[in-house]
Amino acid sequence: MSDNEKIKKVSIIISKGSLEGIYPGLIMANGARMKGIEANVFFTFFGLDAITKNKMNKIKVATVGNPAMGIPTLVGAAPGMSALATTMMKKQMEELDIPPIPEFVEMIHDAGGGMYACLASVEMFKLKKEDFCDQVKGILTIGDFYDISAGGEIIFT
């Protein structure tokens, strides 16, 4: 593969606020930085929970309406199911040395990855810059995000 064919920049959109919705984007961004690829992560809608100070440590597995769980919706909705699934998944991730969300966000930032919040979602949820962790570079419009993403691949997780 020639250098012209290699990916040089990725912009990853994280829109879901569950463990299984957030981690794929963080893993992809971290992997990109490890390969020397420029990486920007754009958090929108419930994906903002991953960078919101008072929520980033409380992210859970979605057990309702998640066909990959392999359990009926009624069972997934039972009290304690989400907490149980979250505990089990976090234990497996710890065994694989996958860091918790706040540490992962810090690692990507420290490796030079850009973290951005979506202005429309920030306004919709009535959030402010100070609600976000320090690693967030800014709050962008979708147009600003496209400008930052120009010349690279856009990945929606």
Side-chain angles (χ1 to χ4, degrees), residues 47-102:
L48 288 173
D49 289 355
I51 54 172
T52 302
K53 288 178 194 173
N54 68 353
K55 293 184 178 181
M56 62 193 309
N57 282 309
K58 301 174 187 171
I59 307 294
K60 296 191 178 344
V61 172
T63 54
V64 176
N66 185 347
M69 290 294 295
I71 57 175
T73 298
L74 190 58
V75 174
M81 279 304 293
S82 181
L84 176 64
T86 299
T87 299
M88 290 171 56
M89 184 174 277
K90 283 184 174 182
K91 184 175 186 247
Q92 283 185 304
M93 291 182 343
E94 189 176 311
E95 288 173 9
L96 295 171
D97 204 25
I98 299 171
I101 290 171

Side-chain angles (χ1 to χ4, degrees), residues 22-59:
I22 293 168
Y23 267 99
L26 296 180
I27 290 167
M28 292 177 78
N30 186 61
R33 290 306 306 136
M34 299 296 264
K35 293 283 290 178
I37 299 168
E38 181 182 337
N40 295 296
V41 186
F42 188 69
F43 298 88
T44 188
F45 283 85
F46 299 113
L48 288 173
D49 289 355
I51 54 172
T52 302
K53 288 178 194 173
N54 68 353
K55 293 184 178 181
M56 62 193 309
N57 282 309
K58 301 174 187 171
I59 307 294

Side-chain angles (χ1 to χ4, degrees), residues 127-146:
L127 296 168
K128 297 178 179 70
K129 172 79 168 121
E130 53 269 16
D131 293 322
F132 299 109
C133 61
D134 295 338
Q135 291 78 18
V136 174
K137 280 190 176 180
I139 299 171
L140 305 179
T141 65
I142 190 65
D144 293 335
F145 170 70
Y146 286 144

Side-chain angles (χ1 to χ4, degrees), residues 25-27 29-30 33 39 41 103-115:
L26 296 180
I27 290 167
N30 186 61
R33 290 306 306 136
V41 186
E103 187 179 327
F104 223 149
V105 166
E106 189 173 344
M107 284 171 47
I108 294 165
H109 172 267
D110 291 351
M115 308 271 187

